[in-house]
Structures are given as structure tokens and as C-alpha cells.
Amino acid sequence: MVINSPRGTADIFGDDIICRNLIIEQAKKLFKLFNYSQIITPAFEHTEVFDRGIGQSTDIVKKEMYTFLDRKGRSLTLRPEGTAPVVRAIIEHKLYSKIPVKLFYIGNMFRYERPQKGRMREFWQLGVEAAGVDNPVIDAEVIWLLALIFETLGFKKLKLLVNSVGCADCRPPYINIFKGYIKPHLESLCSDCRERYDTNPLRIFDCKVPSCAKIISSSPKIYSNICSSCAKHFNTVTDLLKALNIPFVIKEELVRGFDYYTRTIFEIISEDLESVQNALGGGGRYDKLIEQFGGPPLPSIGFAVGIDRTIVLMKQLSVSLSKEDSQSNVFVILLERRFEKYGLEFLNYLRKCDIRSDISFEIKKVGAQIKLAKKNEFTHAAVIGEDEATSGNITVKKLADFTQNQFNWKKDPHKIYDILK
Ligand code: HAM
């Protein structure tokens, strides 16, 4: 019986790997420019990290975590996101001796969700967390970095949504106002939203059920109910985004699914992604989280980009990929088995010259070997027989037009670069 990968997981190879490497390479360049250094945290944590970090009434903690007991009965969870683990690490290693702490990460995340295109149970994120700064300048800088990641990939029809979810002073009174508005409509909400009304009312804003969305559309929004200091903070963020020429839309319904957020939150969506899974990345401020974890008061902000969704969009938009395969490369064809040792020496020379190369493992007719070389997208082939092995004179054929050049690789080792040009 054939065994497939588990539902919601994927093997990544071929064009997907080329896209993925490009996304990661571009992002890493930007992280360096913006002065972030890398952190790698474990793929699983004590369950408490997420219970406390993300919030027990969130969908992620309630329904989506891969939680298991290890052999000693300890509860562990495969990370569903990267922020809570980074916060745990910042406190554990006291990484806050220099402020701001600017960290980036790339890793796989796990959420038990209903899989569909762009929504996986194991997926990859790259993200940043900047801890220790309250100043809205860092909000603008973090959003700028997120926007640049997609700009460098050549994406056009993107929308940056921003909102403020207020702070511990202004959110509770707003929630009372909101619940007061919802109460008479409770019976018309879906069963999930009726439960959210008691456990996490703001999540009602994320409901896709049309009857819920209709009720929400005329509800009071948090944006108009934040306190004056949150409003001042948010206005500065939007002013700075304007100064940086970063187009954005204030989306008053935006809430995002984590309890840790305070003040600025944001999301980048693509109008090109056909599915409802159109958020390519998102993030926000979490001013109290580090304190709640037992660390010092360090107001923080970060974002994460969904690598898998970004790959879907790159392929959909046919973003031109600078394939490694477009560079010249050589397939070494042996006429007889006895030239294997010589063939390997020649291969060793090519690889030392940084030229992608491979050798035929089967001895077949030259025509069949050339076909094989073309199928494997080699640009050139070198045939080794008696003459070549004794003289060192190798003929390199260009497979596109069968023009050929001869050179002595031992006497004139640099000539290969001219031949492959
Ligand atoms: P998030 O919005 O849950 O935020 O995830 C960020 C991005 O990860 C999403 O915009 C999406 O592209 C991708 N993503 C999420 N779930 C899936 C999935 N099931 N399959 C494929 N891609 C997915 C966070 O995770 C926060 N930790 C971001 C953050 C960092 N906030 C502050 N700092």
C-alpha cells in the first residue's frame, strides 16, 4: 500500500523550492538591512507557552493545537505560531540587555485546521519580533519591512489593512458597548459566535457566516472607541506610513486571532489570491505579553508571513524565477565503465570550478546519454572515451545547437568558463 503524507502537510520540491528559497533569500537580505538577527526556537514547547501566550479562548488554543503528552506525561505542543516561543526565549535568555531586541525567525508551524489551498496543517512562516519599544516609529518600520518583502518579490495588487485594538484601559469598556449592541441579535448569530459572545466577543468580527457578517457591519467598532493615548499612537503610525509612501487602508473590523494584541494590528492581503485564504502576512503590537510571561515590561511588535501562501501567489502570477538551471552546467558521459575513475576526477574538477555537473551512471549509446542530459536540463555534455582519458583533451558539446569546443582541462583549467559562457 502506498503511504501518503498526512492530510494538510506537503512535500516541497521542484518549482516550489525555487520560490521558497527566493522568498527566504530576499527576506533575509531585508532582515539584515533592518538590523534583525536570527533566532531558532524548538518546534515544540510546553503547552503553557501557547495557553498563556495566545489566549485560552482563541480558536487556535481551543481547537487547533497539536498537543500531546510525552513519555513522562508532560504536555507539549507543536508550535502553532512563532511569537509566544520567541517571547519565552527572550525572557529565558534575558535577551533584553540591548533594546530594542530585534529578532527574525523562519520555521514550520502546526495548526489543526480544515486544509484547503493556502491553508495547511503544517505550514511555514518567516517573521520578526521587535521588543522593548513603545514609539510608533517602530510600528511603521515593522510594517514597512513587511510591505518591502512583498514589493521585492514583485507583487502588485496587495492591500495593507491596519487598525488599532486599543489597550487594557479602553478595550474592556468597548467590549461592554459591543456586547450591548450584539445582545438583541444573539439568536441570529451562528452557534460559534453565540459561544464567542461569552468567551471572546471580538472574534465575532472574523466570522464568515453571512448573517453574522451582516450584524457586525453596523456594530460599533473598536477603532472609534479607543482612548486618546491609543488614538494618538495610531495616528502617528498612519502619518509615518504616509511619509514612507506605504499605501494602507484602515479596516475597522480587523481584529486578528490572538489575545496578545494591543494597539496597532495589520494584515497584508492579496487581491490576486482567489481563495478566502488571501492573507499573506499579518502582525501587531503586544505591549503586555512579555510582562505576562514574567519578563520585564517590554512593549513589542512583530509580524509573520505565510511562506506557503506566498509561493501559491508567486506561481499564480508566474513571478520570473532565476532558476539555478538557467546557468550553464555539464553532464559527463562515459563511453565505457573503465573510465569511471577518470570521469570522477573530471567531475571533481568541474565542481571545484563551481559548475553544476553530474555523470552518467549507466553506460549507454552516446545518443541515449545526450537525450538523458537534455531531459535533465543540462546545457552541455562532455564525452569521455579512450582519447580523452589519455590526452586530457575534452570536447564539450552545447546541447542547444551541438556546437562543440575542445580544451585540455589539466593544462588550461580556466578555459571551461569561456566555453560555457
Ligand atoms: P497569523 O496571522 O496567524 O499571525 O499568521 C501569519 C501568516 O501565516 C498568515 O497571514 C498566513 O499567510 C500564514 N498562515 C497562517 N495559518 C496558516 C495555515 N494554516 N496555512 C498556511 N498559512 C498560514 C501569526 O502567526 C502571528 N504570530 C504574527 C505575529 C508576529 N504577530 C506578532 N508578531
Side-chain angles (χ1 to χ4, degrees):
M1 200 183 77
V2 179
I3 304 175
N4 294 331
S5 76
R7 189 163 135 78
T9 67
D11 300 309
I12 309 169
F13 55 90
D15 275 355
D16 285 7
I17 277 289
I18 298 174
C19 292
R20 180 192 150 90
N21 289 345
L22 191 70
I23 297 165
I24 292 177
E25 252 171 56
Q26 305 282 12
K28 274 186 158 176
K29 270 190 214 156
L30 292 169
F31 294 155
K32 198 172 160 200
L33 284 179
F34 279 64
N35 203 25
Y36 282 81
S37 51
Q38 189 165 10
I39 185 164
I40 300 177
T41 63
F44 58 88
E45 295 275 348
H46 292 294
T47 302
E48 215 189 331
V49 168
F50 304 110
D51 276 355
R52 277 170 54 189
I54 301 176
Q56 278 179 325
S57 58
T58 57
D59 284 355
I60 293 184
V61 171
K62 270 179 29 196
K63 302 185 201 155
E64 296 171 4
M65 294 205 308
Y66 281 90
T67 297
F68 57 96
L69 295 181
D70 73 2
R71 287 171 191 273
K72 290 245 167 93
R74 286 171 290 230
S75 180
L76 300 171
T77 295
L78 295 182
R79 60 178 171 204
E81 60 106 46
T83 309
V86 169
V87 162
R88 195 259 316 130
I90 290 176
I91 299 167
E92 183 171 337
H93 307 290
K94 299 194 171 57
L95 299 180
Y96 40 78
S97 57
K98 279 182 274 161
I99 296 287
V101 190
K102 285 176 119 183
L103 297 169
F104 80 86
Y105 53 89
I106 299 161
N108 46 351
M109 310 290 158
F110 307 85
R111 293 183 196 173
Y112 193 84
E113 293 195 86
R114 205 157 44 78
Q116 49 179 261
K117 197 170 186 183
R119 187 162 72 193
M120 315 281 295
R121 289 185 173 165
E122 182 190 21
F123 59 97
W124 289 80
Q125 283 187 343
L126 51 86
V128 304
E129 309 297 343
V133 182
D134 182 39
N135 190 326
V137 169
I138 202 145
D139 302 45
E141 203 213 26
V142 161
I143 296 173
W144 177 21
L145 175 55
L146 176 67
L148 268 183
I149 290 178
F150 296 110
E151 195 181 297
T152 2
L153 290 172
F155 293 172
K156 298 265 157 23
K157 286 196 236 152
L158 297 181
K159 213 184 231 178
L160 169 67
L161 310 174
V162 296
N163 195 17
S164 172
V165 286
C167 65
D169 291 335
C170 52
R171 195 158 20 175
Y174 164 72
I175 289 178
N176 282 338
I177 298 173
F178 178 64
K179 285 181 86 173
Y181 165 83
I182 290 287
K183 202 167 181 193
H185 303 282
L186 257 185
E187 289 309 306
S188 319
L189 293 179
C190 70
S191 60
D192 276 351
C193 282
R194 282 203 295 273
E195 198 189 320
R196 287 175 187 140
Y197 177 82
D198 291 318
T199 55
N200 200 345
L202 289 187
R203 301 292 305 151
I204 300 177
F205 278 102
D206 276 345
C207 188
K208 303 277 185 296
V209 177
S211 53
C212 299
K214 194 163 169 237
I215 294 169
I216 284 301
S217 65
S218 26
S219 86
K221 310 288 182 316
I222 189 154
Y223 176 76
S224 327
N225 286 277
I226 53 178
C227 59
S228 57
S229 98
C230 286
K232 190 169 165 229
H233 192 276
F234 188 66
N235 289 338
T236 314
V237 175
T238 52
D239 279 350
L240 292 170
L241 291 177
K242 282 180 205 153
L244 286 164
N245 277 326
I246 301 170
F248 63 89
V249 174
I250 297 175
K251 188 174 181 208
E252 299 182 19
E253 294 86 7
L254 186 67
V255 284
R256 294 190 42 78
F258 301 92
D259 280 359
Y260 51 62
Y261 286 129
T262 49
R263 293 191 159 176
T264 317
I265 57 165
F266 50 92
E267 212 158 81
I268 282 215
I269 60 168
S270 159
E271 292 174 338
D272 282 314
L273 271 181
E274 295 126 1
S275 69
V276 268
Q277 310 305 323
N278 61 359
L280 291 169
R285 217 171 227 294
Y286 47 97
D287 287 345
K288 299 287 173 215
L289 185 62
I290 297 188
E291 240 175 305
Q292 279 161 16
F293 261 78
L298 292 174
S300 306
I301 183 166
F303 67 72
V305 166
I307 298 180
D308 311 78
R309 276 184 208 172
T310 309
I311 295 174
V312 171
L313 187 58
M314 277 177 89
K315 286 170 65 181
Q316 194 178 305
L317 299 179
S318 313
V319 170
S320 70
L321 306 172
S322 63
K323 289 197 184 185
E324 297 138 49
D325 286 351
S326 61
Q327 289 161 14
S328 296
N329 43 54
V330 179
F331 189 62
V332 180
I333 295 171
L334 305 180
L335 293 183
E336 287 177 50
R337 218 164 259 302
R338 65 192 168 99
F339 302 125
E340 276 173 353
K341 193 166 158 268
Y342 188 85
L344 283 183
E345 277 177 43
F346 181 60
L347 204 57
N348 185 27
Y349 149 78
L350 288 174
R351 289 173 180 169
K352 281 195 171 148
C353 294
D354 239 357
I355 293 163
R356 186 168 77 85
S357 45
D358 215 332
I359 194 163
S360 61
F361 293 101
E362 278 182 79
I363 308 299
K364 287 189 192 158
K365 288 207 173 101
V366 174
Q369 305 265 31
I370 298 268
K371 258 194 194 157
L372 187 71
K374 281 185 136 179
K375 194 170 161 198
N376 284 298
E377 297 176 18
F378 279 92
T379 57
H380 293 76
V383 181
I384 295 180
E386 185 69 46
D387 288 352
E388 289 79 8
T390 40
S391 66
N393 290 327
I394 306 277
T395 303
V396 178
K397 281 185 205 304
K398 188 172 182 187
L399 296 178
D401 54 14
F402 290 103
T403 50
Q404 50 187 53
N405 278 289
Q406 205 183 53
F407 81 118
N408 191 301
W409 65 284
K410 290 197 171 166
K411 291 187 190 147
D412 194 2
H414 293 289
K415 179 113 194 255
I416 188 76
Y417 297 115
D418 295 333
I419 294 176
L420 297 185
K421 248 185 215 160

